[in-house]
Amino acid sequence: MPLKPLRICATPSCPSLTRSRYCNEHKTQQQEETKHYNKHSRNKTITSFYKSTEWKRTRELVLLRDNRLCQRCLREHRFTPADMVHHIVEVKQDWSKRLDLSNLESLCNACHNKVHGDRGKPVK
């Protein structure tokens, strides 16, 4: 199997070439930042909710209801497969709406990133 092509490290202003997202120096730094965020900033209640059986079942119901199509793309007459289910009112804003089907919509990754302003990894 051929090697991945070299590309510039994803850290701004780092000229190092790498076959992964970050060069070795910044990969370690990124891992430490992620570890710190997970330990001190991530909401453990919300994280465990997204791993729960009730969320997985509700998520599947929404995807089936929406025919596994991105609802925002569909409004623009484009047929794009949905990658995730989005909370219109976020879970951290209103915990009681976390499983409310009317508060959930199927979205593609691109639309989900637009909704959240490309703030990082999408929440499934």
Side-chain angles (χ1 to χ4, degrees), residues 77-122:
H77 307 290
R78 292 179 307 190
F79 294 95
T80 310
D83 299 317
M84 57 197 58
V85 173
H86 169 68
H87 286 91
I88 298 164
V89 175
E90 291 187 39
V91 176
K92 62 185 170 188
Q93 290 175 332
D94 188 349
W95 179 255
S96 66
K97 292 186 176 185
R98 70 190 181 284
L99 297 171
D100 182 357
L101 295 178
S102 64
N103 185 46
L104 298 167
E105 68 179 337
S106 301
L107 294 180
C108 65
N109 192 33
C111 286
H112 194 256
N113 285 342
K114 285 177 196 168
V115 169
H116 289 291
D118 296 316
R119 67 174 179 195
K121 294 183 180 176

Side-chain angles (χ1 to χ4, degrees), residues 11-46:
T11 303
S13 75
C14 178
S16 299
L17 295 175
T18 181
R19 296 196 193 288
S20 59
R21 184 170 169 92
Y22 297 98
C23 66
N24 290 336
E25 177 186 344
H26 292 114
K27 183 184 288 185
T28 307
Q29 179 183 355
Q30 187 67 27
Q31 288 169 339
E32 289 300 317
E33 288 173 10
T34 301
K35 226 185 266 186
H36 183 270
Y37 174 80
N38 286 342
K39 186 174 182 179
H40 300 288
S41 300
R42 190 173 297 275
N43 185 316
K44 297 189 182 14
T45 305
I46 293 175

